[in-house]
Each structure stands twice: as C-alpha cells, then as structure tokens.
Amino acid sequence: MVSERVQGLLERMSLEEKLAQIVGFWVDEGGDVVAPMQGEMASSAKLEDATRHGLGHFTRVYGTRPVDPIERAQWLWEAQRTLVNQPGPGIPALVHEECLTGLAAWKAATFPTPLAWGAAFHPELVEEMGVAIGESMRTLGIHQGLAPVLDVIRDARWGRVEECIAEDPYVVGTIATAYVRGLQSTGVHATLKHFVGYSNSRAGRNLAPVHAGPREVADVLLPPFEMAVLDGKVRSVMHSYSEIDGIPVAADRRLLTDLLRGTWGFDGTVVADYFGVAFLQALHGVAGDLGEAAGKALEAGVDIELPTGNAYLEPLAEKIRAGLVDEALVDLACTRALQQKEELGLLDETFESEPPTSVDLDSPEHRRIALQLAEESVVLLANDGVLPLTSPAKVAVIGPNADRSEALFGCYSFANHVLAHHADVEMGFEAPSVLSALREELSGADITFTQGCEVEGEDTSGFDAAVAAASAADVAIVVAGDQAGLFGRGTSGEGNDADSLELPGVQRQLVEAVQATGTPVVLVLLTGRPYAVDWAFEKGAVVQGFFPGEEGGAAVAGILSGRVNPSGRLPITLPRSAGAQPYSYLHPQLGGSSQVSSLPTEPVLAFGHGLSYTTFTHTGLTVADEVAAGDTFTATVTVSNTGDRDGEDVVQLYARDVVGSVTRPVAQLLGYQRVRLAAGETATVTFTVPTTRLAFSDRDMVKIVEPGAVELWVGPSVATKETEAALTLTGDVHRVSLDDNRWVTTTVERD
C-alpha cells in the first residue's frame, strides 16, 4: 500500500526529479577499479550537477578508496543536508555499501568469507555477525548493504566461489537468511545477490552465458532466494549479470516481476548490479542504445540503476519524451524508491544532528565473532597423526601465505578490494598472519620462516632454503593457497576464474619438495575455492581455511596446536580435477557413474567432510514408517563423543527419493545441526522435517511432494551412511504452496 505521503511526493515531482530518485551517484567513481568495465562506463558528472534534481543513492561513500571514516561521515552529513535544503523534493539519498565480509571501509573489521560461513554450518553465529556489521553501518549513515550472496556453487573454477556459501541450496538459504535477519535487525536493508543463475555460468567463466534448464533453476538456484524473501523478509534484491538461455536477467520480467513480486510477494526494491542496465546494450546486445536498455530494464522490474545513472537519466528521458517508454514505469520504480526511504526514516531525516565524532569499527565484539567463526570454519581435511602438534622444539614455517595478512581475506574485503591499490596505506586494524599467530601460540618453539615461492609465478629459487629449513625442523608447516583480488589481480575473486584446480604457480612443487625431506608436514590452505590436493593427503596433515578473516591466523594456530578442536565441514565437494567440473553432490545417478566413462567421477572428499581430534558416532536413526506427502515427520539420531576430548560435531541428515517421476539426486541434505559434546557425552538430536524438503518440479514444472519410498541416513559426510532408516510418503501428490514450511527445526537433548 502506497502512503499518502509518498503518493503526494510523486505527484509533485517533475520527470527529472523522479529519474533522479532511481539512480545512484558514485562519489569516487574515478578512483580504483572495483567493478567490471568501470573505466568504459565511467561518468564525467560532478556532484553538484548530478544532484540538482535530487538523488536516489550515494554509491560506496566509504568503500572505494581509503578515507578516514569520521572525516567521510562529516562530508556525508553535509552532502545530505544539501540535498534536504535545496529546491525540489528535499529528500536525502540512500547510502549503500558493500558488506559481504564486513563493512567495506578502511579500519573496519573483516570477517571470514561466505564459503567459511558455510563450512561452519552455524547460522546463529552468522546472524550475530550480521548484527555487528549492521551496527557499524548504521553509525556511519549507511542504509543498505550489498550482501549476502545466495548463488549456489556449481563450478569450483568460478572466481567468485569464495563469495558463495555452499553447493547445497538449503545450506545457502538458511545461512544467508540468518545474515539478512541480523543485518536488517539494525535498520540496514540487506540486498540478495545475484538473482539468479550467476554461479552457473558456462565453464565457470565470469559473465559467461548460463545454460540451465527451468527445473535446475527452480529446484537448485532459486530456493535460497525464496527463503530469504519469504522467511527473511529481505528488503532489496540485485539482479544478476547472467543471461539464462539467451534472456538477460536484467530484462526478464518473468523473473524480476512475475516470480519475485507476483508469486513471492516481494515489495522491496530491485537494484541493478553495477552497470547491469547498460550491459543490456554493451554486453548482451538486446538493446540498441542506453535509452532502449533503460526501457527494457524498467519494464522487467529493475527499480534502481547502480552505481550511476548511465541509462536511467537523459537516455531514458529521451525515450519517454518520444513516446517510446511509458512514464508510468518510472512512476512505479520511483514509488518503490520513495517507499524504501520512508521505511528507513529518510523522509523525516534532516541531518541537523552532528555526525559521529568517533567510531570503533573493529570492537572486541567484532573480534570475538570473527574468531569464533574462523575457528568453526577451518576444516581438517586429512591427518596422518602429525596434528595436533605436541610441543615441537623446532618448527619451519614455509610458504607464500604464511606471513601475509592479505592471505586471510577475500576479494570483497577492503584490504584486497581497495588497499591493493594503496600499498603505502596501513591496514587500519590488527590481522596477525599465520606466522605471527604461530609464534604466539607456540611460544616455546624455535620457529623459522622462509617463503619458498610466490602465490603465482614460476620462480623456484626459494626452494633450497625451504628444504633446508624443513630438514632442520621437527615439523614443517607450509601455508599455501590463493591471493584474492579483482579482474586478474589475484588467483581468486571476481574475474579470477581458473583453468586448473592445481594450486596456483609452483606451490605444489614447493610442498612436494618439503615433503621429500621426510620431516612431518602440515599443509595449511588459505583459499577461495577447493583445490585438487589429494596428492598431499598421505604425507602429513592438510588444513583448509576459506579466507578465515582477521582472526584467521589465530584460529589456524589454535587448531594446529590442539588448543582448538577443528569442527569445520566442507560446504563444497573437494574435486579430483578441473576436468570433473562442473560438479555437485546433488547429481542424479548417471552424474556419478564411472561405469559409463573411462574417467573417475568420484570426488576426493565429499560434501560435509571434516575431521576432528576426537571421534563421533551416529547411531539409532529412527523415523516413522510412513507419513503423508505434504505433512511433517521427525527423525531422531543419537550422537556420541567417543573420544577423550571435547569437540563439536555437525550432525547431517540426508535423504534419497528412490523413485521419481523425474530423475532425482542420489543424495540430498535435509537438515543439519552443530552440537558441542564433552568427551564421553551423548545427545539425542531430533530433526522435524517438512516433507516439502523433498519437493521438486514435476514434468509440468509444478512444485510437488510425490509419494513413494525415501532412504534416510546420518553420517560424517554425504558419502558415509553411518546409520540408516526408511520412510514411505503416502497419499496423493502434494502440490506445494508458499504456505508450506520450508525449514527443518532441530532439538538437542543431552543424556
């Protein structure tokens, strides 16, 4: 329902004033390149000219170059006062900023990447992180965050895997919705991205076309967005750059209006991914000029053009004056923009109050959350007994990521997004490297360091020193992996796609040279994607960190020493090779069969895998014999810590729909629960599961729950059926509606 206030504002606005409300202005656009084709799309407009009719959004006020947050807040308050007091609508601009791994601003806390959130399997902690991020943003006058990413991982070669949560839609949906709830609880609007299909690009190439059938889109790619819209009540959605089967999402009314607004009832704003409207002309070739691109995007349902008004200002105005675009489309988008500002309190904001004079963007609470999330996300992939370390006297720390704080962060961290262009500017907060953390953790040991090689490149001149250091040590810790960056400035991140899933550069050769010394080796991986590292498993231990953030060094050091018991689980399958991509554990039977191919298809490690310094058993999975399709059932399992130290398990309930009217995956995660158990402790975990978790799109693309046999199991990963049960869905086919429950709930009762 449109308020009288918003309706009155709209009626008094000129066309130019309405257009101004549906575009952004990028104050520092001419600075560092942080968006695709930023140079080609750059605007020469000055602030005073761009805002003379008002303004919809200020784009990335804090996050494009290193500016002191307090000084920039003072500038922002003054700019907002100018907008309020100038002739015309007198409406402040909405301020948006990136916040995927923390507020993208100088000196702000940097948390683990979303892939690490997935590895932690702990939505409640991610929600706490969202609250902490939102409070920082709100203090600085930021109203909307461009996060989280809900793309379901389909190909490990894609550079933006690090920004994604998991290859399982339910894990993505539950964790992303938790982030949305946390951020929005502070009064900051979250933005779902990238709606939809972006992660399914051909060959894992950024912006490559997406060729996904409607069933894959409906049953794999869309469910996380549905959960965040319907259950998370998200207030903004960003369209993806994708074209799906030849139709760019930015010009697809079926997705942006019919599904998102019509079916799901979304009533927030749809924003363009940066330059996405202009890309309808420049990249997709479905518009002859910017004005035509603007008309197509508006008609599809894109309300706000970001980062600037390349298409929605004069090019669109010309089409409207020529009668080629209906001004009613502008009225609709402007109404939504004004409603969002009304919801945020901006229509009443005068900015007469003073901006903050001090701010702590990396408080002890930020660091507590960052440390816990990092510790819970690190995955022990393999261990031949070398871990935990038992008071080694001499430790050789080796590798290109051992003494680099930047190696702890993803590409959307301020450090790698912006400071990579400003080598003379300090980080602005503490982020001890793995080497520094190990020196504190193993204070009694003699620790030496040699780099060995760079992340990229073919230089092996440092190998001899690395081999000598390892030979003289009781244990060698090799810290390898990625450097996150943008558009070729790194090995992981936006625009950094991979042809190979071998470690970048000569890092594998370095590790193998160190292993050949006979000294026990621990390989620590700080990466944004999983790599094919099965060759390392039989000669030591392998520890995986998915860019674990500012406290990641301490988390890794604590796990190596044994002070912290590893509890992370793989949110993505560990691949055998790049040739096996794209891959998902959610494959039908033929997708995993090696009997019809000369190449093995089984992954190295399965989804959900992760070792511990204790042992857990799962027994006695119990379910009812049958339940009506469309109803809810309970599954109960006993989990025991059978080792001699406390630890945390991620209890994973899987299912297989044995016979379907369309092919069904050989396994599907139904629900999960992180459980902490003392040594020798036992607990009973009960999953309450709506049968809609087994829903799929039938041959007529109707979402249904089909009667029939279902196999269920619990195990340490999808590949191991430690305890099993059988269930029969009875009755008629259940047609799924939006009123059906999408969530599994769990209870834990300790013996």
Side-chain angles (χ1 to χ4, degrees), residues 251-287:
D252 195 339
R253 184 176 178 84
R254 295 169 302 174
L255 285 171
L256 299 182
T257 297
D258 296 347
L259 174 65
L260 183 60
R261 296 191 184 278
T263 302
W264 292 350
F266 174 70
D267 61 355
T269 57
V270 174
V271 301
D273 203 345
Y274 283 13
F275 308 116
V277 176
F279 285 171
L280 293 176
Q281 177 201 15
L283 295 183
H284 298 292
V286 297

mmCIF file of all heavy atoms in Angstrom, residues 251-287:
data_model
loop_
_atom_site.group_PDB
_atom_site.id
_atom_site.type_symbol
_atom_site.label_atom_id
_atom_site.label_comp_id
_atom_site.label_asym_id
_atom_site.label_seq_id
_atom_site.Cartn_x
_atom_site.Cartn_y
_atom_site.Cartn_z
ATOM 1 N N ALA A 251 16.571 -8.007 -18.056
ATOM 2 C CA ALA A 251 15.470 -7.702 -18.969
ATOM 3 C C ALA A 251 14.416 -8.811 -18.945
ATOM 4 O O ALA A 251 13.633 -8.934 -19.895
ATOM 5 C CB ALA A 251 15.998 -7.524 -20.396
ATOM 6 N N ASP A 252 14.380 -9.585 -17.870
ATOM 7 C CA ASP A 252 13.473 -10.730 -17.799
ATOM 8 C C ASP A 252 12.351 -10.449 -16.799
ATOM 9 O O ASP A 252 12.505 -10.642 -15.594
ATOM 10 C CB ASP A 252 14.242 -11.984 -17.396
ATOM 11 C CG ASP A 252 13.446 -13.263 -17.644
ATOM 12 O OD1 ASP A 252 12.197 -13.185 -17.742
ATOM 13 O OD2 ASP A 252 14.064 -14.337 -17.733
ATOM 14 N N ARG A 253 11.217 -10.041 -17.308
ATOM 15 C CA ARG A 253 10.074 -9.719 -16.454
ATOM 16 C C ARG A 253 9.540 -10.957 -15.738
ATOM 17 O O ARG A 253 9.010 -10.862 -14.630
ATOM 18 C CB ARG A 253 8.966 -9.080 -17.299
ATOM 19 C CG ARG A 253 7.762 -8.617 -16.481
ATOM 20 C CD ARG A 253 6.719 -7.887 -17.323
ATOM 21 N NE ARG A 253 5.573 -7.524 -16.498
ATOM 22 C CZ ARG A 253 5.499 -6.434 -15.740
ATOM 23 N NH1 ARG A 253 6.522 -5.595 -15.713
ATOM 24 N NH2 ARG A 253 4.430 -6.181 -15.006
ATOM 25 N N ARG A 254 9.699 -12.120 -16.352
ATOM 26 C CA ARG A 254 9.205 -13.349 -15.721
ATOM 27 C C ARG A 254 9.880 -13.588 -14.379
ATOM 28 O O ARG A 254 9.240 -14.083 -13.440
ATOM 29 C CB ARG A 254 9.446 -14.536 -16.652
ATOM 30 C CG ARG A 254 8.667 -14.491 -17.964
ATOM 31 C CD ARG A 254 9.169 -15.552 -18.906
ATOM 32 N NE ARG A 254 10.598 -15.400 -19.179
ATOM 33 C CZ ARG A 254 11.332 -16.256 -19.881
ATOM 34 N NH1 ARG A 254 10.768 -17.349 -20.363
ATOM 35 N NH2 ARG A 254 12.609 -16.031 -20.095
ATOM 36 N N LEU A 255 11.165 -13.250 -14.289
ATOM 37 C CA LEU A 255 11.878 -13.444 -13.033
ATOM 38 C C LEU A 255 11.685 -12.272 -12.081
ATOM 39 O O LEU A 255 11.359 -12.447 -10.911
ATOM 40 C CB LEU A 255 13.378 -13.641 -13.310
ATOM 41 C CG LEU A 255 13.798 -15.002 -13.872
ATOM 42 C CD1 LEU A 255 15.254 -14.970 -14.301
ATOM 43 C CD2 LEU A 255 13.578 -16.096 -12.838
ATOM 44 N N LEU A 256 11.941 -11.052 -12.565
ATOM 45 C CA LEU A 256 12.000 -9.886 -11.689
ATOM 46 C C LEU A 256 10.636 -9.362 -11.263
ATOM 47 O O LEU A 256 10.530 -8.688 -10.228
ATOM 48 C CB LEU A 256 12.786 -8.761 -12.374
ATOM 49 C CG LEU A 256 14.245 -9.070 -12.721
ATOM 50 C CD1 LEU A 256 14.904 -7.859 -13.356
ATOM 51 C CD2 LEU A 256 15.019 -9.521 -11.488
ATOM 52 N N THR A 257 9.612 -9.665 -12.027
ATOM 53 C CA THR A 257 8.271 -9.188 -11.670
ATOM 54 C C THR A 257 7.305 -10.348 -11.419
ATOM 55 O O THR A 257 6.727 -10.460 -10.341
ATOM 56 C CB THR A 257 7.715 -8.256 -12.765
ATOM 57 O OG1 THR A 257 8.555 -7.093 -12.844
ATOM 58 C CG2 THR A 257 6.297 -7.828 -12.434
ATOM 59 N N ASP A 258 7.161 -11.222 -12.408
ATOM 60 C CA ASP A 258 6.154 -12.280 -12.267
ATOM 61 C C ASP A 258 6.472 -13.202 -11.091
ATOM 62 O O ASP A 258 5.590 -13.494 -10.265
ATOM 63 C CB ASP A 258 6.066 -13.095 -13.557
ATOM 64 C CG ASP A 258 5.584 -12.273 -14.745
ATOM 65 O OD1 ASP A 258 5.082 -11.149 -14.524
ATOM 66 O OD2 ASP A 258 5.744 -12.730 -15.894
ATOM 67 N N LEU A 259 7.715 -13.671 -10.999
ATOM 68 C CA LEU A 259 8.081 -14.578 -9.906
ATOM 69 C C LEU A 259 8.344 -13.808 -8.613
ATOM 70 O O LEU A 259 7.715 -14.064 -7.586
ATOM 71 C CB LEU A 259 9.317 -15.387 -10.286
ATOM 72 C CG LEU A 259 9.884 -16.269 -9.169
ATOM 73 C CD1 LEU A 259 8.895 -17.358 -8.782
ATOM 74 C CD2 LEU A 259 11.220 -16.888 -9.585
ATOM 75 N N LEU A 260 9.289 -12.889 -8.657
ATOM 76 C CA LEU A 260 9.741 -12.211 -7.437
ATOM 77 C C LEU A 260 8.615 -11.442 -6.770
ATOM 78 O O LEU A 260 8.374 -11.572 -5.564
ATOM 79 C CB LEU A 260 10.909 -11.285 -7.778
ATOM 80 C CG LEU A 260 11.563 -10.530 -6.623
ATOM 81 C CD1 LEU A 260 12.125 -11.487 -5.581
ATOM 82 C CD2 LEU A 260 12.671 -9.613 -7.154
ATOM 83 N N ARG A 261 7.900 -10.648 -7.525
ATOM 84 C CA ARG A 261 6.827 -9.827 -6.940
ATOM 85 C C ARG A 261 5.474 -10.525 -6.988
ATOM 86 O O ARG A 261 4.730 -10.522 -6.002
ATOM 87 C CB ARG A 261 6.762 -8.478 -7.665
ATOM 88 C CG ARG A 261 8.023 -7.638 -7.476
ATOM 89 C CD ARG A 261 7.800 -6.206 -7.974
ATOM 90 N NE ARG A 261 9.017 -5.420 -7.879
ATOM 91 C CZ ARG A 261 9.440 -4.826 -6.763
ATOM 92 N NH1 ARG A 261 8.753 -4.964 -5.649
ATOM 93 N NH2 ARG A 261 10.565 -4.127 -6.751
ATOM 94 N N GLY A 262 5.174 -11.144 -8.110
ATOM 95 C CA GLY A 262 3.858 -11.751 -8.251
ATOM 96 C C GLY A 262 3.678 -12.998 -7.406
ATOM 97 O O GLY A 262 2.762 -13.093 -6.585
ATOM 98 N N THR A 263 4.581 -13.969 -7.583
ATOM 99 C CA THR A 263 4.449 -15.231 -6.857
ATOM 100 C C THR A 263 4.902 -15.111 -5.412
ATOM 101 O O THR A 263 4.218 -15.568 -4.493
ATOM 102 C CB THR A 263 5.254 -16.330 -7.568
ATOM 103 O OG1 THR A 263 4.790 -16.467 -8.921
ATOM 104 C CG2 THR A 263 5.113 -17.662 -6.842
ATOM 105 N N TRP A 264 6.069 -14.510 -5.195
ATOM 106 C CA TRP A 264 6.635 -14.442 -3.849
ATOM 107 C C TRP A 264 6.146 -13.240 -3.033
ATOM 108 O O TRP A 264 6.324 -13.199 -1.821
ATOM 109 C CB TRP A 264 8.157 -14.397 -3.917
ATOM 110 C CG TRP A 264 8.786 -15.662 -4.414
ATOM 111 C CD1 TRP A 264 8.170 -16.866 -4.627
ATOM 112 C CD2 TRP A 264 10.164 -15.862 -4.756
ATOM 113 N NE1 TRP A 264 9.069 -17.803 -5.088
ATOM 114 C CE2 TRP A 264 10.302 -17.217 -5.174
ATOM 115 C CE3 TRP A 264 11.290 -15.047 -4.760
ATOM 116 C CZ2 TRP A 264 11.533 -17.741 -5.583
ATOM 117 C CZ3 TRP A 264 12.506 -15.569 -5.164
ATOM 118 C CH2 TRP A 264 12.626 -16.906 -5.567
ATOM 119 N N GLY A 265 5.563 -12.259 -3.699
ATOM 120 C CA GLY A 265 5.039 -11.112 -2.967
ATOM 121 C C GLY A 265 6.090 -10.132 -2.483
ATOM 122 O O GLY A 265 5.831 -9.337 -1.571
ATOM 123 N N PHE A 266 7.266 -10.131 -3.078
ATOM 124 C CA PHE A 266 8.319 -9.194 -2.682
ATOM 125 C C PHE A 266 7.866 -7.766 -2.939
ATOM 126 O O PHE A 266 7.365 -7.441 -4.019
ATOM 127 C CB PHE A 266 9.587 -9.499 -3.478
ATOM 128 C CG PHE A 266 10.706 -8.522 -3.263
ATOM 129 C CD1 PHE A 266 11.385 -8.472 -2.056
ATOM 130 C CD2 PHE A 266 11.102 -7.652 -4.273
ATOM 131 C CE1 PHE A 266 12.428 -7.578 -1.855
ATOM 132 C CE2 PHE A 266 12.132 -6.759 -4.089
ATOM 133 C CZ PHE A 266 12.803 -6.721 -2.870
ATOM 134 N N ASP A 267 8.034 -6.888 -1.942
ATOM 135 C CA ASP A 267 7.581 -5.499 -2.094
ATOM 136 C C ASP A 267 8.695 -4.487 -1.825
ATOM 137 O O ASP A 267 8.431 -3.328 -1.536
ATOM 138 C CB ASP A 267 6.384 -5.210 -1.185
ATOM 139 C CG ASP A 267 6.714 -5.382 0.296
ATOM 140 O OD1 ASP A 267 7.836 -5.819 0.622
ATOM 141 O OD2 ASP A 267 5.833 -5.067 1.128
ATOM 142 N N GLY A 268 9.944 -4.936 -1.918
ATOM 143 C CA GLY A 268 11.075 -4.024 -1.749
ATOM 144 C C GLY A 268 11.545 -3.479 -3.080
ATOM 145 O O GLY A 268 10.777 -3.370 -4.038
ATOM 146 N N THR A 269 12.823 -3.125 -3.152
ATOM 147 C CA THR A 269 13.381 -2.567 -4.379
ATOM 148 C C THR A 269 14.292 -3.583 -5.060
ATOM 149 O O THR A 269 15.003 -4.344 -4.403
ATOM 150 C CB THR A 269 14.202 -1.294 -4.100
ATOM 151 O OG1 THR A 269 15.242 -1.603 -3.159
ATOM 152 C CG2 THR A 269 13.325 -0.196 -3.548
ATOM 153 N N VAL A 270 14.268 -3.565 -6.379
ATOM 154 C CA VAL A 270 15.213 -4.333 -7.185
ATOM 155 C C VAL A 270 16.262 -3.360 -7.700
ATOM 156 O O VAL A 270 15.923 -2.364 -8.357
ATOM 157 C CB VAL A 270 14.517 -5.040 -8.352
ATOM 158 C CG1 VAL A 270 15.556 -5.715 -9.261
ATOM 159 C CG2 VAL A 270 13.525 -6.076 -7.840
ATOM 160 N N VAL A 271 17.520 -3.637 -7.384
ATOM 161 C CA VAL A 271 18.604 -2.758 -7.814
ATOM 162 C C VAL A 271 19.431 -3.467 -8.870
ATOM 163 O O VAL A 271 19.525 -4.698 -8.902
ATOM 164 C CB VAL A 271 19.496 -2.327 -6.633
ATOM 165 C CG1 VAL A 271 18.677 -1.599 -5.577
ATOM 166 C CG2 VAL A 271 20.231 -3.506 -6.017
ATOM 167 N N ALA A 272 20.047 -2.677 -9.737
ATOM 168 C CA ALA A 272 20.903 -3.221 -10.776
ATOM 169 C C ALA A 272 22.266 -3.568 -10.211
ATOM 170 O O ALA A 272 22.811 -2.824 -9.385
ATOM 171 C CB ALA A 272 21.066 -2.205 -11.905
ATOM 172 N N ASP A 273 22.810 -4.688 -10.645
ATOM 173 C CA ASP A 273 24.231 -4.875 -10.404
ATOM 174 C C ASP A 273 24.953 -3.803 -11.212
ATOM 175 O O ASP A 273 24.453 -3.335 -12.241
ATOM 176 C CB ASP A 273 24.685 -6.282 -10.820
ATOM 177 C CG ASP A 273 25.957 -6.708 -10.108
ATOM 178 O OD1 ASP A 273 26.636 -5.838 -9.518
ATOM 179 O OD2 ASP A 273 26.281 -7.903 -10.134
ATOM 180 N N TYR A 274 26.124 -3.418 -10.731
ATOM 181 C CA TYR A 274 26.791 -2.240 -11.283
ATOM 182 C C TYR A 274 26.920 -2.312 -12.805
ATOM 183 O O TYR A 274 27.483 -3.268 -13.344
ATOM 184 C CB TYR A 274 28.151 -2.064 -10.652
ATOM 185 C CG TYR A 274 28.139 -1.481 -9.261
ATOM 186 C CD1 TYR A 274 26.952 -1.393 -8.525
ATOM 187 C CD2 TYR A 274 29.297 -1.004 -8.668
ATOM 188 C CE1 TYR A 274 26.937 -0.854 -7.251
ATOM 189 C CE2 TYR A 274 29.289 -0.458 -7.389
ATOM 190 C CZ TYR A 274 28.106 -0.394 -6.681
ATOM 191 O OH TYR A 274 28.092 0.147 -5.413
ATOM 192 N N PHE A 275 26.357 -1.297 -13.457
ATOM 193 C CA PHE A 275 26.343 -1.121 -14.916
ATOM 194 C C PHE A 275 25.509 -2.183 -15.630
ATOM 195 O O PHE A 275 25.549 -2.299 -16.849
ATOM 196 C CB PHE A 275 27.768 -1.113 -15.493
ATOM 197 C CG PHE A 275 28.689 -0.144 -14.821
ATOM 198 C CD1 PHE A 275 29.799 -0.588 -14.131
ATOM 199 C CD2 PHE A 275 28.441 1.220 -14.870
ATOM 200 C CE1 PHE A 275 30.648 0.310 -13.496
ATOM 201 C CE2 PHE A 275 29.292 2.121 -14.234
ATOM 202 C CZ PHE A 275 30.396 1.665 -13.545
ATOM 203 N N GLY A 276 24.729 -2.946 -14.863
ATOM 204 C CA GLY A 276 23.968 -4.040 -15.447
ATOM 205 C C GLY A 276 22.933 -3.589 -16.466
ATOM 206 O O GLY A 276 22.646 -4.313 -17.418
ATOM 207 N N VAL A 277 22.351 -2.406 -16.270
ATOM 208 C CA VAL A 277 21.387 -1.909 -17.254
ATOM 209 C C VAL A 277 22.104 -1.567 -18.556
ATOM 210 O O VAL A 277 21.675 -1.953 -19.643
ATOM 211 C CB VAL A 277 20.632 -0.679 -16.702
ATOM 212 C CG1 VAL A 277 19.708 -0.102 -17.764
ATOM 213 C CG2 VAL A 277 19.834 -1.063 -15.453
ATOM 214 N N ALA A 278 23.227 -0.859 -18.447
ATOM 215 C CA ALA A 278 23.992 -0.508 -19.642
ATOM 216 C C ALA A 278 24.520 -1.748 -20.351
ATOM 217 O O ALA A 278 24.683 -1.752 -21.584
ATOM 218 C CB ALA A 278 25.146 0.419 -19.267
ATOM 219 N N PHE A 279 24.775 -2.817 -19.590
ATOM 220 C CA PHE A 279 25.278 -4.038 -20.207
ATOM 221 C C PHE A 279 24.257 -4.685 -21.148
ATOM 222 O O PHE A 279 24.625 -5.494 -21.996
ATOM 223 C CB PHE A 279 25.675 -5.053 -19.124
ATOM 224 C CG PHE A 279 26.975 -4.728 -18.411
ATOM 225 C CD1 PHE A 279 27.351 -5.451 -17.290
ATOM 226 C CD2 PHE A 279 27.804 -3.702 -18.855
ATOM 227 C CE1 PHE A 279 28.538 -5.158 -16.630
ATOM 228 C CE2 PHE A 279 28.983 -3.398 -18.194
ATOM 229 C CZ PHE A 279 29.361 -4.128 -17.074
ATOM 230 N N LEU A 280 22.979 -4.341 -20.993
ATOM 231 C CA LEU A 280 21.987 -4.860 -21.944
ATOM 232 C C LEU A 280 22.328 -4.432 -23.364
ATOM 233 O O LEU A 280 22.063 -5.164 -24.323
ATOM 234 C CB LEU A 280 20.586 -4.382 -21.567
ATOM 235 C CG LEU A 280 20.016 -4.935 -20.261
ATOM 236 C CD1 LEU A 280 18.657 -4.308 -19.959
ATOM 237 C CD2 LEU A 280 19.896 -6.459 -20.315
ATOM 238 N N GLN A 281 22.932 -3.252 -23.498
ATOM 239 C CA GLN A 281 23.422 -2.808 -24.790
ATOM 240 C C GLN A 281 24.848 -3.280 -25.043
ATOM 241 O O GLN A 281 25.138 -3.876 -26.082
ATOM 242 C CB GLN A 281 23.396 -1.276 -24.890
ATOM 243 C CG GLN A 281 23.981 -0.758 -26.206
ATOM 244 C CD GLN A 281 24.429 0.691 -26.127
ATOM 245 O OE1 GLN A 281 24.561 1.253 -25.038
ATOM 246 N NE2 GLN A 281 24.660 1.300 -27.280
ATOM 247 N N ALA A 282 25.738 -3.042 -24.063
ATOM 248 C CA ALA A 282 27.169 -3.207 -24.295
ATOM 249 C C ALA A 282 27.618 -4.662 -24.343
ATOM 250 O O ALA A 282 28.543 -5.003 -25.087
ATOM 251 C CB ALA A 282 27.949 -2.460 -23.211
ATOM 252 N N LEU A 283 27.002 -5.542 -23.554
ATOM 253 C CA LEU A 283 27.445 -6.932 -23.471
ATOM 254 C C LEU A 283 26.441 -7.928 -24.035
ATOM 255 O O LEU A 283 26.824 -8.897 -24.692
ATOM 256 C CB LEU A 283 27.756 -7.301 -22.013
ATOM 257 C CG LEU A 283 28.930 -6.577 -21.349
ATOM 258 C CD1 LEU A 283 29.149 -7.110 -19.945
ATOM 259 C CD2 LEU A 283 30.202 -6.711 -22.172
ATOM 260 N N HIS A 284 25.161 -7.726 -23.755
ATOM 261 C CA HIS A 284 24.153 -8.711 -24.174
ATOM 262 C C HIS A 284 23.616 -8.441 -25.582
ATOM 263 O O HIS A 284 23.127 -9.360 -26.241
ATOM 264 C CB HIS A 284 22.990 -8.723 -23.182
ATOM 265 C CG HIS A 284 23.378 -9.119 -21.791
ATOM 266 N ND1 HIS A 284 23.789 -10.384 -21.469
ATOM 267 C CD2 HIS A 284 23.432 -8.412 -20.635
ATOM 268 C CE1 HIS A 284 24.072 -10.455 -20.182
ATOM 269 N NE2 HIS A 284 23.863 -9.269 -19.650
ATOM 270 N N GLY A 285 23.662 -7.190 -26.010
ATOM 271 C CA GLY A 285 23.212 -6.867 -27.353
ATOM 272 C C GLY A 285 21.725 -7.022 -27.573
ATOM 273 O O GLY A 285 21.280 -7.351 -28.674
ATOM 274 N N VAL A 286 20.917 -6.772 -26.527
ATOM 275 C CA VAL A 286 19.470 -6.847 -26.690
ATOM 276 C C VAL A 286 18.834 -5.448 -26.717
ATOM 277 O O VAL A 286 17.615 -5.331 -26.755
ATOM 278 C CB VAL A 286 18.818 -7.688 -25.569
ATOM 279 C CG1 VAL A 286 19.319 -9.127 -25.626
ATOM 280 C CG2 VAL A 286 19.066 -7.090 -24.188
ATOM 281 N N ALA A 287 19.671 -4.419 -26.695
ATOM 282 C CA ALA A 287 19.192 -3.043 -26.784
ATOM 283 C C ALA A 287 20.110 -2.272 -27.725
ATOM 284 O O ALA A 287 21.329 -2.470 -27.716
ATOM 285 C CB ALA A 287 19.165 -2.378 -25.410
#
